[in-house]
Short mmCIF file of all heavy atoms in Angstrom, two decimals:
data_model
loop_
_atom_site.label_atom_id
_atom_site.label_comp_id
_atom_site.label_asym_id
_atom_site.label_seq_id
_atom_site.Cartn_x
_atom_site.Cartn_y
_atom_site.Cartn_z
N GLU A 113 -24.49 -1.27 -17.77
CA GLU A 113 -23.87 -2.34 -17.01
C GLU A 113 -22.83 -3.06 -17.86
O GLU A 113 -22.93 -3.08 -19.10
CB GLU A 113 -24.93 -3.34 -16.53
CG GLU A 113 -25.91 -2.75 -15.52
CD GLU A 113 -26.84 -3.80 -14.96
OE1 GLU A 113 -26.81 -4.96 -15.46
OE2 GLU A 113 -27.59 -3.48 -14.03
N ARG A 114 -21.84 -3.65 -17.17
CA ARG A 114 -20.78 -4.35 -17.90
C ARG A 114 -20.24 -5.48 -17.03
O ARG A 114 -19.95 -5.29 -15.85
CB ARG A 114 -19.65 -3.38 -18.23
CG ARG A 114 -18.46 -3.98 -18.99
CD ARG A 114 -18.81 -4.23 -20.44
NE ARG A 114 -17.63 -4.22 -21.29
CZ ARG A 114 -17.32 -5.21 -22.14
NH1 ARG A 114 -18.08 -6.28 -22.20
NH2 ARG A 114 -16.26 -5.12 -22.89
N VAL A 115 -20.13 -6.68 -17.60
CA VAL A 115 -19.47 -7.81 -16.98
C VAL A 115 -18.49 -8.36 -18.00
O VAL A 115 -18.90 -8.75 -19.10
CB VAL A 115 -20.48 -8.90 -16.55
CG1 VAL A 115 -19.74 -10.09 -15.97
CG2 VAL A 115 -21.48 -8.35 -15.55
N VAL A 116 -17.21 -8.39 -17.66
CA VAL A 116 -16.20 -8.80 -18.63
C VAL A 116 -14.98 -9.32 -17.90
O VAL A 116 -14.72 -8.93 -16.75
CB VAL A 116 -15.81 -7.61 -19.55
CG1 VAL A 116 -15.13 -6.50 -18.76
CG2 VAL A 116 -14.93 -8.07 -20.70
N SER A 117 -14.23 -10.19 -18.54
CA SER A 117 -12.97 -10.67 -17.99
C SER A 117 -11.97 -10.81 -19.11
O SER A 117 -12.33 -10.97 -20.28
CB SER A 117 -13.16 -12.02 -17.27
OG SER A 117 -13.59 -13.01 -18.18
N GLY A 118 -10.69 -10.76 -18.77
CA GLY A 118 -9.65 -10.91 -19.76
C GLY A 118 -8.33 -10.39 -19.25
O GLY A 118 -8.21 -9.88 -18.14
N PHE A 119 -7.31 -10.52 -20.09
CA PHE A 119 -5.99 -10.03 -19.74
C PHE A 119 -5.96 -8.51 -19.78
O PHE A 119 -6.55 -7.88 -20.67
CB PHE A 119 -4.93 -10.59 -20.69
CG PHE A 119 -4.61 -12.04 -20.44
CD1 PHE A 119 -5.18 -13.04 -21.20
CD2 PHE A 119 -3.74 -12.39 -19.41
CE1 PHE A 119 -4.89 -14.37 -20.96
CE2 PHE A 119 -3.43 -13.72 -19.16
CZ PHE A 119 -4.02 -14.72 -19.94
N GLY A 120 -5.28 -7.91 -18.81
CA GLY A 120 -5.06 -6.48 -18.82
C GLY A 120 -3.78 -6.14 -19.56
O GLY A 120 -3.07 -7.02 -20.06
N ASP A 121 -3.50 -4.85 -19.65
CA ASP A 121 -2.28 -4.41 -20.32
C ASP A 121 -1.05 -4.88 -19.54
O ASP A 121 -0.94 -4.65 -18.33
CB ASP A 121 -2.24 -2.88 -20.41
CG ASP A 121 -3.33 -2.35 -21.33
OD1 ASP A 121 -3.81 -3.11 -22.19
OD2 ASP A 121 -3.69 -1.16 -21.20
N SER A 122 -0.13 -5.57 -20.22
CA SER A 122 1.09 -6.01 -19.57
C SER A 122 2.06 -4.83 -19.42
O SER A 122 1.93 -3.81 -20.11
CB SER A 122 1.75 -7.14 -20.37
OG SER A 122 1.97 -6.73 -21.71
N ARG A 123 3.03 -4.99 -18.53
CA ARG A 123 3.91 -3.88 -18.19
C ARG A 123 5.36 -4.35 -18.12
O ARG A 123 5.66 -5.38 -17.52
CB ARG A 123 3.49 -3.30 -16.84
CG ARG A 123 4.24 -2.05 -16.44
CD ARG A 123 3.67 -1.46 -15.17
NE ARG A 123 4.02 -2.25 -14.00
CZ ARG A 123 3.59 -1.98 -12.77
NH1 ARG A 123 2.76 -0.97 -12.56
NH2 ARG A 123 3.96 -2.71 -11.75
N LEU A 124 6.24 -3.59 -18.75
CA LEU A 124 7.68 -3.83 -18.70
C LEU A 124 8.35 -2.62 -18.08
O LEU A 124 7.97 -1.48 -18.37
CB LEU A 124 8.24 -4.06 -20.11
CG LEU A 124 7.56 -5.13 -20.98
CD1 LEU A 124 8.12 -5.07 -22.39
CD2 LEU A 124 7.76 -6.51 -20.39
N ARG A 125 9.36 -2.85 -17.24
CA ARG A 125 10.03 -1.71 -16.61
C ARG A 125 11.50 -2.01 -16.37
O ARG A 125 11.86 -3.12 -15.99
CB ARG A 125 9.36 -1.36 -15.29
CG ARG A 125 10.03 -0.18 -14.57
CD ARG A 125 9.26 0.23 -13.33
NE ARG A 125 9.12 -0.88 -12.38
CZ ARG A 125 8.49 -0.78 -11.23
NH1 ARG A 125 7.91 0.36 -10.88
NH2 ARG A 125 8.40 -1.83 -10.43
N LEU A 126 12.32 -1.00 -16.60
CA LEU A 126 13.74 -1.05 -16.24
C LEU A 126 14.02 0.11 -15.30
O LEU A 126 13.77 1.27 -15.65
CB LEU A 126 14.63 -0.94 -17.48
CG LEU A 126 16.13 -0.93 -17.19
CD1 LEU A 126 16.59 -2.27 -16.61
CD2 LEU A 126 16.93 -0.60 -18.46
N SER A 127 14.50 -0.19 -14.10
CA SER A 127 14.88 0.85 -13.15
C SER A 127 16.38 0.77 -12.90
O SER A 127 16.97 -0.32 -12.93
CB SER A 127 14.10 0.69 -11.83
OG SER A 127 14.35 -0.57 -11.25
N TRP A 128 17.00 1.92 -12.61
CA TRP A 128 18.45 2.01 -12.48
C TRP A 128 18.77 2.98 -11.36
O TRP A 128 18.41 4.16 -11.42
CB TRP A 128 19.05 2.48 -13.80
CG TRP A 128 20.54 2.40 -13.89
CD1 TRP A 128 21.42 1.87 -12.99
CD2 TRP A 128 21.34 2.84 -15.00
NE1 TRP A 128 22.70 1.95 -13.45
CE2 TRP A 128 22.69 2.55 -14.68
CE3 TRP A 128 21.04 3.45 -16.21
CZ2 TRP A 128 23.73 2.86 -15.55
CZ3 TRP A 128 22.08 3.77 -17.06
CH2 TRP A 128 23.42 3.48 -16.75
N ASN A 129 19.43 2.48 -10.32
CA ASN A 129 19.84 3.32 -9.21
C ASN A 129 21.17 4.00 -9.56
O ASN A 129 22.20 3.33 -9.67
CB ASN A 129 19.98 2.50 -7.93
CG ASN A 129 18.66 1.99 -7.43
OD1 ASN A 129 17.61 2.44 -7.87
ND2 ASN A 129 18.69 1.06 -6.50
N LEU A 130 21.15 5.30 -9.70
CA LEU A 130 22.30 6.04 -10.22
C LEU A 130 23.25 6.51 -9.12
O LEU A 130 24.43 6.74 -9.37
CB LEU A 130 21.80 7.25 -11.03
CG LEU A 130 20.83 6.92 -12.17
CD1 LEU A 130 20.28 8.20 -12.77
CD2 LEU A 130 21.52 6.06 -13.22
N VAL A 131 22.73 6.71 -7.91
CA VAL A 131 23.53 7.22 -6.79
C VAL A 131 23.25 6.38 -5.55
O VAL A 131 22.09 6.08 -5.25
CB VAL A 131 23.19 8.70 -6.50
CG1 VAL A 131 23.94 9.21 -5.26
CG2 VAL A 131 23.50 9.58 -7.70
N GLY A 132 24.32 5.99 -4.83
CA GLY A 132 24.17 5.38 -3.52
C GLY A 132 23.72 3.95 -3.50
O GLY A 132 23.28 3.46 -2.45
N SER A 133 23.82 3.23 -4.61
CA SER A 133 23.33 1.86 -4.67
C SER A 133 24.29 1.01 -5.49
O SER A 133 24.01 0.64 -6.62
CB SER A 133 21.93 1.82 -5.29
OG SER A 133 21.41 0.52 -5.32
N PRO A 134 25.47 0.67 -4.93
CA PRO A 134 26.46 -0.10 -5.68
C PRO A 134 25.96 -1.50 -5.98
O PRO A 134 25.20 -2.10 -5.20
CB PRO A 134 27.66 -0.13 -4.74
CG PRO A 134 27.07 0.03 -3.37
CD PRO A 134 25.90 0.95 -3.56
N ALA A 135 26.38 -2.04 -7.13
CA ALA A 135 26.04 -3.40 -7.51
C ALA A 135 26.90 -4.36 -6.69
O ALA A 135 28.13 -4.37 -6.82
CB ALA A 135 26.25 -3.61 -9.00
N LEU A 136 26.28 -5.15 -5.83
CA LEU A 136 27.00 -6.02 -4.90
C LEU A 136 26.48 -7.45 -5.01
O LEU A 136 25.28 -7.67 -5.22
CB LEU A 136 26.81 -5.54 -3.46
CG LEU A 136 27.27 -4.11 -3.14
CD1 LEU A 136 26.82 -3.72 -1.74
CD2 LEU A 136 28.78 -3.99 -3.29
N GLY A 137 27.39 -8.41 -4.82
CA GLY A 137 26.99 -9.79 -4.68
C GLY A 137 26.44 -10.02 -3.29
O GLY A 137 26.48 -9.15 -2.41
N LEU A 138 25.92 -11.23 -3.06
CA LEU A 138 25.26 -11.52 -1.79
C LEU A 138 26.19 -11.35 -0.60
O LEU A 138 25.81 -10.77 0.43
CB LEU A 138 24.70 -12.94 -1.83
CG LEU A 138 23.94 -13.39 -0.58
CD1 LEU A 138 22.70 -12.54 -0.39
CD2 LEU A 138 23.56 -14.86 -0.68
#
Side-chain angles (χ1 to χ4, degrees):
E113 295 186 353
R114 180 75 154 127
V115 177
V116 65
S117 63
F119 286 99
D121 293 338
S122 55
R123 186 174 74 183
L124 307 172
R125 179 174 58 180
L126 178 66
S127 59
W128 190 5
N129 292 346
L130 305 173
V131 175
S133 182
L136 301 171
L138 182 63

